[in-house]
Coordinates of all heavy atoms in Angstrom, one line a residue:
M211 N 105.4 106.7 92.5 CA 105.1 107.6 93.6 C 104.0 106.9 94.5 O 103.2 106.1 94.0 CB 104.4 108.9 93.1 CG 105.3 109.7 92.2 SD 106.3 110.9 93.1 CE 105.1 112.0 93.7
I212 N 104.2 107.1 95.8 CA 103.3 106.4 96.8 C 102.7 107.5 97.7 O 103.4 108.4 98.2 CB 104.1 105.4 97.7 CG1 104.7 104.4 96.8 CG2 103.2 104.8 98.7 CD1 105.7 103.4 97.5
L213 N 101.4 107.3 98.0 CA 100.7 108.2 99.0 C 100.7 107.4 100.3 O 100.2 106.2 100.3 CB 99.3 108.5 98.5 CG 98.4 109.1 99.6 CD1 98.9 110.5 100.0 CD2 97.0 109.2 99.1
I214 N 101.2 107.9 101.3 CA 101.1 107.3 102.7 C 100.2 108.2 103.5 O 100.4 109.4 103.7 CB 102.5 107.2 103.3 CG1 103.4 106.3 102.4 CG2 102.3 106.6 104.7 CD1 104.8 106.2 102.9
I215 N 99.1 107.5 104.0 CA 98.2 108.2 104.9 C 98.3 107.7 106.3 O 98.2 106.5 106.6 CB 96.7 108.0 104.4 CG1 96.5 108.5 103.0 CG2 95.7 108.5 105.4 CD1 95.2 108.2 102.4
M216 N 98.6 108.6 107.2 CA 98.8 108.2 108.6 C 97.4 108.4 109.3 O 96.9 109.5 109.4 CB 99.8 109.2 109.3 CG 101.1 109.2 108.5 SD 102.0 107.7 108.5 CE 102.6 107.5 110.1
A217 N 96.8 107.3 109.7 CA 95.5 107.3 110.3 C 95.4 106.4 111.5 O 94.4 105.7 111.7 CB 94.5 106.8 109.2
A218 N 96.4 106.5 112.3 CA 96.5 105.7 113.5 C 96.1 106.4 114.8 O 95.9 105.8 115.8 CB 97.8 105.1 113.7
G219 N 95.9 107.7 114.7 CA 95.6 108.5 115.9 C 94.2 108.3 116.4 O 93.3 107.9 115.7
K220 N 94.1 108.5 117.7 CA 92.8 108.3 118.3 C 91.9 109.5 118.2 O 90.7 109.4 118.3 CB 92.9 108.0 119.8 CG 93.6 106.7 120.1 CD 93.9 106.5 121.6 CE 94.7 105.2 121.8 NZ 95.1 105.0 123.2
G221 N 92.4 110.6 117.9 CA 91.6 111.9 117.7 C 90.9 112.3 119.0 O 89.8 112.7 118.9
S222 N 91.6 112.2 120.1 CA 91.0 112.4 121.4 C 90.5 113.8 121.5 O 89.4 114.1 122.0 CB 92.0 112.1 122.5 OG 93.2 112.8 122.4
R223 N 91.2 114.8 121.0 CA 90.8 116.2 121.0 C 89.6 116.5 120.0 O 88.8 117.2 120.2 CB 91.9 117.2 120.8 CG 92.9 117.2 122.0 CD 94.1 118.1 121.7 NE 94.8 117.4 120.6 CZ 95.8 117.9 120.0 NH1 96.3 119.2 120.3 NH2 96.5 117.3 119.0
F224 N 89.7 115.8 118.9 CA 88.8 115.9 117.8 C 87.4 115.2 118.2 O 86.4 115.6 117.7 CB 89.4 115.4 116.5 CG 88.5 115.5 115.3 CD1 88.2 116.7 114.7 CD2 87.9 114.4 114.8 CE1 87.3 116.8 113.6 CE2 87.0 114.4 113.7 CZ 86.8 115.7 113.1
G225 N 87.5 114.1 118.9 CA 86.3 113.4 119.3 C 86.2 112.0 118.5 O 85.2 111.4 118.5
G226 N 87.3 111.6 117.8 CA 87.3 110.4 117.0 C 88.4 110.5 116.0 O 89.0 111.6 115.8
P227 N 88.7 109.4 115.3 CA 89.7 109.4 114.3 C 89.4 110.3 113.1 O 88.4 110.0 112.5 CB 89.9 107.9 113.9 CG 88.7 107.2 114.4 CD 88.1 108.1 115.5
K228 N 90.2 111.3 112.9 CA 89.9 112.3 111.9 C 89.8 111.6 110.5 O 88.9 111.9 109.7 CB 90.9 113.4 111.8 CG 90.8 114.3 113.0 CD 91.9 115.4 113.0 CE 93.2 115.0 113.4 NZ 93.5 114.8 114.7
Q229 N 90.7 110.8 110.1 CA 90.7 110.2 108.7 C 89.5 109.3 108.5 O 89.2 109.0 107.3 CB 92.0 109.4 108.5 CG 93.2 110.3 108.4 CD 93.2 111.0 107.1 OE1 92.5 110.8 106.1 NE2 94.1 112.0 107.0
C230 N 88.8 108.9 109.6 CA 87.7 108.0 109.4 C 86.4 108.7 109.7 O 85.4 108.0 110.0 CB 87.9 106.8 110.3 SG 89.3 105.8 109.9
T231 N 86.4 110.0 109.6 CA 85.2 110.8 109.9 C 84.5 110.9 108.6 O 85.1 111.4 107.6 CB 85.5 112.1 110.5 OG1 86.1 111.8 111.8 CG2 84.3 112.9 110.7
S232 N 83.2 110.7 108.5 CA 82.4 110.9 107.3 C 82.2 112.4 107.1 O 81.7 113.2 107.9 CB 81.0 110.3 107.5 OG 80.2 110.5 106.4
V233 N 82.8 112.9 105.9 CA 82.7 114.4 105.7 C 82.0 114.6 104.3 O 81.6 115.8 104.1 CB 84.1 115.0 105.7 CG1 84.7 115.0 107.0 CG2 85.0 114.4 104.6
G234 N 81.8 113.6 103.5 CA 81.2 113.8 102.2 C 79.8 113.6 102.2 O 79.2 112.9 103.0
P235 N 79.1 114.0 101.1 CA 77.6 113.8 100.9 C 77.2 112.3 100.8 O 76.1 112.0 101.1 CB 77.3 114.6 99.7 CG 78.6 114.7 98.9 CD 79.7 114.7 99.9
K236 N 78.1 111.5 100.4 CA 77.8 110.0 100.3 C 78.5 109.2 101.4 O 78.7 108.0 101.2 CB 78.2 109.6 98.9 CG 77.5 110.2 97.8 CD 77.9 109.7 96.4 CE 77.2 110.5 95.3 NZ 77.8 110.3 94.0
G237 N 79.0 109.9 102.4 CA 79.7 109.1 103.5 C 81.1 109.0 103.3 O 81.8 108.2 104.0
E238 N 81.7 109.8 102.4 CA 83.1 109.7 102.1 C 83.9 110.1 103.4 O 83.6 111.0 104.1 CB 83.6 110.6 101.0 CG 82.9 110.3 99.7 CD 81.6 111.1 99.4 OE1 81.1 111.6 100.4 OE2 81.2 111.1 98.3
Y239 N 85.0 109.4 103.6 CA 85.9 109.8 104.7 C 86.9 110.8 104.2 O 87.1 111.0 103.0 CB 86.8 108.5 105.1 CG 86.1 107.5 105.9 CD1 86.8 106.3 106.3 CD2 84.8 107.6 106.4 CE1 86.2 105.4 107.0 CE2 84.2 106.6 107.1 CZ 84.9 105.5 107.5 OH 84.3 104.5 108.2
L240 N 87.5 111.5 105.1 CA 88.5 112.5 104.7 C 89.6 111.9 103.8 O 90.0 112.5 102.8 CB 89.1 113.1 106.0 CG 90.1 114.2 105.8 CD1 89.5 115.4 105.1 CD2 90.6 114.7 107.2
M241 N 90.0 110.7 104.2 CA 91.1 110.0 103.4 C 90.7 109.7 101.9 O 91.5 109.6 101.0 CB 91.6 108.7 104.1 CG 90.6 107.6 104.0 SD 91.3 106.1 104.6 CE 91.5 106.4 106.4
D242 N 89.4 109.6 101.7 CA 88.9 109.3 100.3 C 89.3 110.5 99.4 O 89.6 110.2 98.2 CB 87.4 109.1 100.3 CG 86.9 107.8 101.0 OD1 87.6 106.8 100.9 OD2 85.9 107.9 101.7
Y243 N 89.2 111.7 99.8 CA 89.5 112.8 99.0 C 91.0 112.8 98.7 O 91.4 113.1 97.5 CB 89.1 114.1 99.7 CG 87.6 114.3 99.8 CD1 86.9 113.9 100.9 CD2 86.9 114.8 98.7 CE1 85.5 114.0 101.0 CE2 85.5 115.0 98.7 CZ 84.9 114.6 99.9 OH 83.5 114.7 99.9
S244 N 91.8 112.4 99.7 CA 93.3 112.3 99.4 C 93.6 111.2 98.4 O 94.4 111.4 97.5 CB 94.0 112.0 100.7 OG 93.9 113.1 101.6
I245 N 92.9 110.1 98.5 CA 93.1 109.0 97.6 C 92.7 109.3 96.2 O 93.4 109.1 95.2 CB 92.4 107.7 98.1 CG1 93.1 107.2 99.4 CG2 92.4 106.6 97.1 CD1 92.2 106.1 100.1
N246 N 91.5 109.9 96.1 CA 91.0 110.3 94.8 C 91.9 111.3 94.1 O 92.1 111.1 92.9 CB 89.5 110.8 94.9 CG 88.6 109.7 95.2 OD1 88.8 108.5 95.0 ND2 87.5 110.0 95.8
F247 N 92.3 112.3 94.8 CA 93.2 113.3 94.2 C 94.5 112.7 93.8 O 95.0 113.0 92.7 CB 93.4 114.4 95.2 CG 94.1 115.6 94.7 CD1 93.5 116.6 93.9 CD2 95.5 115.7 95.0 CE1 94.3 117.6 93.4 CE2 96.2 116.8 94.5 CZ 95.6 117.7 93.7
A248 N 95.1 111.9 94.7 CA 96.4 111.4 94.4 C 96.4 110.4 93.2 O 97.2 110.5 92.3 CB 96.9 110.6 95.6
T249 N 95.4 109.6 93.1 CA 95.3 108.6 92.0 C 95.0 109.3 90.7 O 95.4 108.9 89.6 CB 94.3 107.5 92.3 OG1 93.1 108.0 92.6 CG2 94.8 106.6 93.4
K250 N 94.2 110.4 90.8 CA 93.9 111.2 89.6 C 95.2 111.8 89.0 O 95.3 111.9 87.7 CB 92.9 112.3 89.9 CG 92.5 113.2 88.8 CD 91.6 114.2 89.2 CE 91.2 115.2 88.1 NZ 90.3 116.3 88.6
Y251 N 96.2 112.1 89.8 CA 97.4 112.8 89.3 C 98.6 111.9 89.3 O 99.7 112.3 89.4 CB 97.6 114.0 90.1 CG 96.6 115.1 89.8 CD1 95.5 115.3 90.6 CD2 96.6 115.8 88.6 CE1 94.5 116.2 90.3 CE2 95.7 116.7 88.2 CZ 94.6 117.0 89.1 OH 93.7 117.9 88.8
G252 N 98.4 110.6 89.2 CA 99.5 109.7 88.9 C 100.1 108.8 90.0 O 101.0 108.1 89.8
I253 N 99.5 109.0 91.3 CA 100.0 108.1 92.3 C 99.6 106.7 92.0 O 98.4 106.5 91.7 CB 99.5 108.6 93.7 CG1 100.0 110.0 94.0 CG2 99.9 107.6 94.8 CD1 101.4 110.2 94.2
N254 N 100.5 105.8 92.1 CA 100.1 104.4 91.7 C 100.0 103.4 92.9 O 99.8 102.2 92.7 CB 101.0 103.9 90.6 CG 102.5 104.0 91.0 OD1 102.8 104.0 92.2 ND2 103.3 103.9 90.0
E255 N 100.2 103.9 94.1 CA 100.1 103.1 95.3 C 99.7 103.9 96.5 O 100.2 105.0 96.7 CB 101.4 102.3 95.6 CG 101.4 101.4 96.8 CD 102.6 100.6 97.0 OE1 103.6 100.8 96.2 OE2 102.7 99.8 97.9
V256 N 98.8 103.4 97.3 CA 98.4 104.0 98.5 C 98.7 103.1 99.7 O 98.3 101.9 99.7 CB 96.9 104.4 98.5 CG1 96.4 105.0 99.8 CG2 96.6 105.3 97.3
I257 N 99.3 103.6 100.7 CA 99.5 102.9 102.0 C 98.9 103.6 103.1 O 99.1 104.8 103.2 CB 101.0 102.7 102.2 CG1 101.7 101.9 101.1 CG2 101.3 102.1 103.6 CD1 103.2 101.8 101.2
I258 N 98.0 102.9 103.8 CA 97.4 103.5 105.0 C 97.9 102.8 106.2 O 97.8 101.6 106.3 CB 95.8 103.4 104.9 CG1 95.3 104.1 103.6 CG2 95.2 103.9 106.1 CD1 93.9 103.7 103.2
I259 N 98.4 103.6 107.1 CA 98.9 103.1 108.4 C 97.9 103.5 109.5 O 97.7 104.7 109.7 CB 100.3 103.6 108.7 CG1 101.3 103.2 107.5 CG2 100.8 103.1 110.1 CD1 102.7 103.8 107.6
T260 N 97.4 102.5 110.2 CA 96.4 102.8 111.2 C 96.7 101.9 112.4 O 97.8 101.4 112.6 CB 95.0 102.5 110.6 OG1 94.0 103.0 111.5 CG2 94.7 101.1 110.2
N261 N 95.7 101.8 113.3 CA 95.9 100.9 114.5 C 95.0 99.7 114.3 O 94.1 99.6 113.5 CB 95.6 101.7 115.8 CG 94.2 102.2 115.8 OD1 93.3 101.5 115.7 ND2 94.1 103.5 116.0
D262 N 95.2 98.7 115.2 CA 94.5 97.5 115.1 C 93.0 97.6 115.1 O 92.3 96.9 114.4 CB 94.9 96.5 116.3 CG 96.2 95.8 116.0 OD1 96.7 95.8 114.9 OD2 96.7 95.2 117.0
L263 N 92.5 98.6 115.9 CA 91.1 98.8 116.1 C 90.4 99.3 114.8 O 89.2 99.0 114.5 CB 90.8 99.7 117.2 CG 91.2 99.2 118.6 CD1 91.0 100.3 119.7 CD2 90.4 97.9 119.0
L264 N 91.1 100.1 114.0 CA 90.5 100.7 112.8 C 90.7 99.9 111.5 O 90.1 100.2 110.5 CB 91.1 102.1 112.6 CG 90.7 103.1 113.7 CD1 91.5 104.5 113.4 CD2 89.3 103.3 113.7
V265 N 91.6 98.9 111.5 CA 91.8 98.2 110.3 C 90.5 97.6 109.7 O 90.3 97.8 108.5 CB 92.9 97.0 110.5 CG1 92.9 96.0 109.3 CG2 94.2 97.6 110.8
P266 N 89.6 96.9 110.5 CA 88.4 96.4 109.9 C 87.5 97.5 109.3 O 87.0 97.3 108.2 CB 87.7 95.7 111.0 CG 88.8 95.4 112.0 CD 89.7 96.5 111.9
N267 N 87.4 98.6 110.0 CA 86.5 99.7 109.5 C 87.1 100.3 108.2 O 86.3 100.5 107.3 CB 86.5 100.8 110.7 CG 85.7 102.0 110.2 OD1 86.0 102.7 109.3 ND2 84.7 102.3 111.0
I268 N 88.4 100.6 108.2 CA 88.9 101.2 107.0 C 88.9 100.2 105.8 O 88.6 100.6 104.7 CB 90.4 101.6 107.3 CG1 90.4 102.8 108.3 CG2 91.2 102.0 106.0 CD1 91.7 103.2 108.8
T269 N 89.2 99.0 106.1 CA 89.2 98.0 105.0 C 87.8 97.8 104.4 O 87.6 97.8 103.1 CB 89.7 96.6 105.5 OG1 91.0 96.7 106.1 CG2 89.7 95.6 104.4
E270 N 86.7 97.7 105.2 CA 85.4 97.7 104.7 C 85.0 98.9 103.9 O 84.4 98.9 102.9 CB 84.4 97.4 105.8 CG 84.4 96.0 106.3 CD 84.1 95.0 105.2 OE1 83.1 95.2 104.5 OE2 84.9 94.0 105.0
H271 N 85.4 100.1 104.4 CA 85.1 101.3 103.8 C 85.7 101.4 102.4 O 85.1 101.8 101.4 CB 85.5 102.5 104.7 CG 85.3 103.8 104.0 ND1 84.1 104.5 104.1 CD2 86.1 104.6 103.3 CE1 84.2 105.6 103.4 NE2 85.4 105.7 103.0
L272 N 87.0 101.0 102.3 CA 87.7 101.1 101.1 C 87.1 100.2 100.0 O 87.0 100.6 98.8 CB 89.2 100.7 101.3 CG 90.0 101.7 102.1 CD1 91.4 101.1 102.4 CD2 90.2 103.1 101.4
K273 N 86.6 99.1 100.4 CA 85.9 98.1 99.5 C 84.7 98.8 98.9 O 84.4 98.6 97.7 CB 85.5 96.8 100.2 CG 86.7 95.9 100.5 CD 86.2 94.7 101.2 CE 87.4 93.9 101.7 NZ 86.9 92.7 102.5
K274 N 84.0 99.6 99.7 CA 82.7 100.2 99.2 C 83.0 101.4 98.3 O 82.3 101.7 97.4 CB 81.9 100.7 100.4 CG 81.2 99.5 101.1 CD 80.1 99.8 102.0 CE 80.2 101.1 102.9 NZ 79.2 101.1 104.0
Y275 N 84.1 102.2 98.6 CA 84.3 103.4 98.0 C 85.3 103.5 96.9 O 85.5 104.5 96.2 CB 84.5 104.5 99.0 CG 83.3 104.9 99.8 CD1 82.9 104.2 100.9 CD2 82.5 106.0 99.4 CE1 81.8 104.5 101.6 CE2 81.3 106.3 100.1 CZ 81.0 105.6 101.2 OH 79.9 105.9 101.9
H276 N 86.2 102.5 96.7 CA 87.3 102.6 95.8 C 87.4 101.3 94.9 O 87.4 100.2 95.4 CB 88.6 102.8 96.6 CG 88.7 104.1 97.3 ND1 89.0 105.3 96.6 CD2 88.4 104.4 98.6 CE1 88.9 106.3 97.5 NE2 88.5 105.8 98.6
T277 N 87.6 101.6 93.7 CA 87.9 100.5 92.8 C 89.4 100.4 92.5 O 89.9 99.4 91.9 CB 87.2 100.7 91.4 OG1 87.6 101.9 90.8 CG2 85.7 100.6 91.6
F278 N 90.1 101.4 92.9 CA 91.6 101.4 92.8 C 92.1 100.3 93.6 O 91.9 100.2 94.8 CB 92.2 102.8 93.3 CG 93.6 102.9 93.2 CD1 94.3 103.0 92.0 CD2 94.4 103.0 94.3 CE1 95.6 103.2 91.9 CE2 95.7 103.1 94.3 CZ 96.4 103.2 93.0
S279 N 92.9 99.4 93.0 CA 93.2 98.1 93.7 C 94.5 98.2 94.5 O 94.8 97.3 95.3 CB 93.3 97.0 92.7 OG 94.3 97.2 91.7
N280 N 95.3 99.2 94.3 CA 96.7 99.2 94.9 C 96.7 100.0 96.2 O 97.4 100.9 96.3 CB 97.7 99.6 93.9 CG 99.1 99.1 94.3 OD1 99.2 98.3 95.2 ND2 100.1 99.6 93.6
I281 N 95.7 99.6 97.1 CA 95.7 100.3 98.4 C 96.0 99.2 99.5 O 95.3 98.1 99.5 CB 94.3 100.8 98.7 CG1 93.9 101.9 97.6 CG2 94.2 101.5 100.1 CD1 92.5 102.4 97.8
N282 N 96.9 99.5 100.3 CA 97.3 98.5 101.4 C 97.1 99.2 102.7 O 97.5 100.3 102.9 CB 98.8 98.1 101.2 CG 99.0 97.4 99.9 OD1 98.5 96.3 99.7 ND2 99.7 98.1 99.0
V283 N 96.5 98.4 103.7 CA 96.3 98.9 105.0 C 97.2 98.1 105.9 O 97.1 96.9 106.0 CB 94.8 98.7 105.4 CG1 94.6 99.2 106.8 CG2 93.9 99.5 104.4
F284 N 98.0 98.9 106.7 CA 98.9 98.3 107.7 C 98.6 98.8 109.1 O 98.2 99.9 109.3 CB 100.3 98.5 107.4 CG 100.8 98.0 106.1 CD1 100.9 98.8 105.0 CD2 101.1 96.7 106.0 CE1 101.3 98.3 103.7 CE2 101.6 96.1 104.8 CZ 101.7 96.9 103.7
S285 N 98.7 97.9 110.1 CA 98.6 98.3 111.5 C 99.9 98.7 112.1 O 100.9 97.9 112.0 CB 97.9 97.1 112.3 OG 98.0 97.5 113.7
Q286 N 99.9 99.9 112.7 CA 101.2 100.3 113.3 C 101.5 99.4 114.5 O 102.6 99.2 114.9 CB 101.0 101.7 113.8 CG 100.1 101.9 115.0 CD 100.2 103.3 115.6 OE1 100.9 104.2 115.1 NE2 99.5 103.5 116.7
D287 N 100.4 98.8 115.1 CA 100.6 98.0 116.3 C 101.5 96.8 116.0 O 102.3 96.3 116.8 CB 99.3 97.6 116.8 CG 98.4 98.8 117.2 OD1 99.0 99.7 117.7 OD2 97.2 98.7 117.0
V288 N 101.4 96.2 114.8 CA 102.2 95.1 114.3 C 103.7 95.5 114.3 O 104.6 94.8 114.8 CB 101.8 94.6 113.0 CG1 102.7 93.5 112.5 CG2 100.4 94.0 113.1
F289 N 103.9 96.7 113.8 CA 105.3 97.2 113.7 C 105.9 97.5 115.0 O 107.0 97.2 115.3 CB 105.4 98.4 112.8 CG 105.0 98.1 111.4 CD1 104.0 98.8 110.8 CD2 105.8 97.3 110.6 CE1 103.6 98.5 109.4 CE2 105.5 97.0 109.3 CZ 104.4 97.6 108.7
V290 N 105.1 98.1 115.9 CA 105.6 98.4 117.2 C 105.9 97.1 118.0 O 106.9 97.0 118.7 CB 104.5 99.3 118.0 CG1 104.9 99.4 119.5 CG2 104.4 100.6 117.3
K291 N 105.0 96.1 117.9 CA 105.3 94.9 118.6 C 106.5 94.2 118.1 O 107.3 93.6 118.8 CB 104.1 93.9 118.4 CG 102.8 94.4 119.2 CD 101.6 93.5 118.8 CE 100.4 94.1 119.4 NZ 99.2 93.4 118.9
S292 N 106.7 94.2 116.8 CA 107.9 93.5 116.2 C 109.2 94.3 116.6 O 110.2 93.7 116.7 CB 107.8 93.4 114.7 OG 107.8 94.7 114.1
L293 N 109.1 95.6 116.7 CA 110.3 96.4 117.1 C 110.7 96.2 118.6 O 111.8 96.3 119.0 CB 110.1 97.8 116.9 CG 110.0 98.3 115.4 CD1 109.6 99.8 115.3 CD2 111.4 98.1 114.8
S294 N 109.7 95.8 119.4 CA 110.0 95.7 120.8 C 110.5 94.3 121.2 O 110.7 94.0 122.4 CB 108.7 96.0 121.7 OG 107.7 95.1 121.4
L295 N 110.6 93.4 120.3 CA 111.1 92.0 120.6 C 112.5 92.0 121.0 O 113.4 92.7 120.6 CB 110.9 91.1 119.4 CG 109.4 90.8 119.1 CD1 109.3 89.9 117.9 CD2 108.7 90.1 120.3

């Protein structure tokens, strides 16, 4: 089973990217709760799809908050560029 988190939106109505908003007492992002819940119940891979601008932020955050090693971050921009060739 794989958890796929869609985190590429700009969150213009919200005021910023929702998945990268600190909501927890220790600075946890919204996506951290999804990852923790999913891995607790047997999900063995996490894929996060985001945009080029958020990749560094999400990658650094994941290193600080997760020891689960099977998390992959992909940029939707790479896929869009490759599809338009």
